[in-house]
Amino acid sequence: MPGRNPVEGRHIALGVTGSIAAYKAAAIASALAQEGGLVDVLMTPQATQFVAPLTFEALTHRPVVTDMFRLSNSEISHVVVSHSADVLVVAPATAHTIAKLALGLADDPVSATALSTRAPGLLAPAMETGMWQNPATQAHIQTLRDRGWLVADPVSGHLASGATGEGRMAEPEQVVDIVHQMLGRSGDLAGRHIVVTAGGTREPIDPVRYLSNRSSGKMGHAIAEAARDRGAAVTLIATVALPPLAGMEVVAVERAEEMRDAVLHLLNRADVLVLAAAVADFRPAQLADQKLKRRDGVPELVLSTNVNVLEEAKAQRGAARKPFIVGFAAETENLLGNAREKFAKWGIDLVVANDVALEGSGFGSDLNKVTMLRIGGDMVDLPLLPKIEVAHRLLDEVIALGSKV
Ligand code: CTP
């Protein structure tokens, strides 16, 4: 589908500088090329000591710029790249290159491209701990942030020196995730705020035990990712810690009450509210102060009705019908019958009926089989698809239905 992946068909200039982490740039180039990105790699002379240009040429199927004065169709190659780039990623970025970028020096293909391009930039610093923490490097990083560069912060871990410390380059997946965020800014949800709930709530019994359900949070996570990739400002209210996504606000909650509070707090600001979380309908009536002990015998668990996030959000938005509300109906039987009943009862804008009993679909899986029920009563039945694709189809519906979003 066109326009789904913000990387597809876009020009990504990837500047590789002379650090042992240069091998990780191969994984970045490979991932972006596989997603349909047009990846133009630029290398400093030092970078070519670590990885051969041929590696990048083979991965991207495009020429690699290693020479400041090489011509491409009678034009200087790095100038061509700097003009075509939709984003410039410098990964790994050494302390020396960071200093050059801050000062505006331009004596190698990477720094020259950085100076001439208008594209937004991302740095993935990689260096020894002392270099990273040095006030000179930190000042340069701040200068670059002030000019609009994003930084994939280095992490603590094993360094080339054999020591362990801060300065290790962010993982390629994280760099690619930030590239998605940057390229998604101009997407069809730019300017919209989407709030997504994800995961099963945990309702405490005592300080160590809780009642919960099989929801993995993956569907909500995928919706948050897809919305971000289409330019939305996203708040993810989640009970689970899945791999973090760049460029969104994450609110960690456990209980339904906390989820309700977080949702209602954001309700006025949200254009779209997607309730993908599996909220426990019942919670223990009593919360024991201390761990229940075996010697005290089998406890009698008395349950009470939990808060209903959907109903409260619906009531609070009133007649304005903003935000646009999407609810999920997780069913193990009579999918459409139950979902239609819920659609009529809830009076929200879109209901996504989720077949959680189907093999390979639903809780914990990376795939999902859903049917969407829209205002007016018609349905969109989707085949079993990866959750990220289901997320995009759901957002397509939100956009199509929501002249009001
Ligand atoms: N939901 C909610 N608060 C609850 C229960 C559910 O906000 N206490 C939301 C879920 O996030 C989901 C939708 O309501 O978007 C439907 O949840 P589901 O469990 O399918 O609906 P119920 O009305 O609880 O129906 P059932 O009897 O099948 O559990």
Side-chain angles (χ1 to χ4, degrees):
M1 287 279 174
R4 283 293 162 74
N5 186 328
V7 170
E8 202 177 324
R10 308 291 288 282
H11 286 268
I12 298 140
L14 175 61
V16 183
T17 73
S19 151
I20 184 66
Y23 77 92
K24 290 191 188 175
I28 296 171
S30 170
L32 293 171
Q34 281 180 46
E35 291 185 51
L38 306 166
V39 185
D40 288 311
V41 175
L42 310 130
M43 301 179 80
T44 61
Q46 292 79 3
T48 64
Q49 303 283 307
F50 288 95
V51 182
L54 179 63
T55 302
F56 291 106
E57 251 160 27
L59 290 170
T60 64
H61 307 290
R62 295 170 73 83
V64 171
V65 184
T66 53
D67 182 345
M68 281 285 276
F69 305 106
R70 196 168 83 175
L71 292 183
S72 154
N73 293 332
S74 317
E75 286 187 79
I76 300 281
S77 304
H78 69 83
V79 175
V80 175
V81 172
S82 78
H83 289 173
S84 65
D86 293 305
V87 66
L88 168 64
V89 183
V90 183
T94 60
H96 190 69
T97 291
I98 289 167
K100 287 206 280 188
L101 300 187
L103 292 173
L105 302 182
D107 65 347
D108 65 65
V110 177
S111 56
T113 303
L115 195 60
S116 87
T117 191
R118 301 262 167 91
L122 168 63
L123 290 176
M127 66 199 73
E128 178 271 333
T129 308
M131 285 181 165
W132 172 247
Q133 291 176 346
N134 191 294
T137 305
Q138 289 302 312
H140 292 319
I141 288 281
Q142 192 54 49
T143 299
L144 292 167
R145 283 191 203 270
D146 292 345
R147 287 187 202 141
W149 284 79
L150 293 189
V151 179
D153 286 319
V155 295
S156 281
H158 177 78
L159 298 168
S161 62
T164 300
E166 204 183 2
R168 194 181 146 89
M169 191 179 111
E171 289 307 317
E173 300 75 40
Q174 201 197 335
V175 175
V176 169
D177 186 52
I178 302 175
V179 172
H180 275 230
Q181 176 207 344
M182 295 171 82
L183 290 173
R185 283 174 186 157
S186 51
D188 53 6
L189 286 169
R192 307 290 183 204
H193 184 192
I194 300 200
V195 175
V196 184
T197 67
T201 60
R202 293 175 171 186
E203 309 298 336
I205 297 168
D206 68 16
V208 300
R209 301 181 177 94
Y210 58 78
L211 276 184
S212 193
N213 56 64
R214 293 184 188 279
S215 168
S216 62
K218 285 183 181 174
M219 191 63 240
H221 202 256
I223 294 164
E225 180 178 355
R228 185 224 36 206
D229 283 0
R230 293 166 77 150
V234 178
T235 306
L236 176 62
I237 301 171
T239 60
V240 284
L242 289 169
L245 294 166
M248 68 180 66
E249 181 190 17
V250 178
V251 182
V253 295
E254 284 217 335
R255 294 175 294 117
E257 271 182 13
E258 292 170 330
M259 186 172 276
R260 185 262 324 265
D261 292 348
V263 166
L264 295 186
H265 179 69
L266 290 162
L267 203 69
N268 286 340
R269 282 197 276 140
D271 296 298
V272 182
L273 174 62
V274 183
L275 298 168
V279 184
D281 290 317
F282 316 105
R283 64 179 170 81
Q286 299 281 333
L287 168 59
D289 292 346
Q290 303 298 333
K291 186 182 171 200
L292 299 173
K293 302 301 282 181
R294 190 150 36 140
R295 63 169 176 264
D296 296 332
V298 179
E300 205 160 295
L301 207 55
V302 180
L303 302 179
S304 64
T305 305
N306 218 349
V307 296
N308 191 302
V309 185
L310 187 149
E311 280 173 11
E312 292 197 37
K314 162 91 195 323
Q316 195 150 323
R317 82 172 176 173
R321 294 190 82 84
K322 179 182 172 293
F324 184 101
I325 300 180
V326 182
F328 271 72
E331 303 298 342
T332 55
E333 55 172 356
N334 188 17
L335 180 79
L336 282 183
N338 285 334
R340 280 211 179 93
E341 204 176 291
K342 287 177 181 177
F343 187 72
K345 181 175 75 179
W346 292 339
I348 57 172
D349 306 287
L350 186 66
V351 169
V352 183
N354 203 358
D355 190 343
V356 293
L358 183 79
E359 177 97 20
S361 162
F363 293 154
S365 170
D366 290 326
L367 304 174
N368 210 357
K369 163 87 190 78
V370 307
T371 301
M372 294 186 279
L373 281 76
R374 314 189 277 205
I375 302 170
D378 59 342
M379 302 182 332
V380 182
D381 194 22
L382 298 181
L384 186 64
L385 290 171
K387 284 183 173 170
I388 189 73
E389 185 60 24
V390 173
H392 279 292
R393 300 282 190 104
L394 185 158
L395 293 173
D396 289 345
E397 281 307 315
V398 171
I399 290 168
L401 288 170
S403 47
K404 56 183 171 291
V405 302

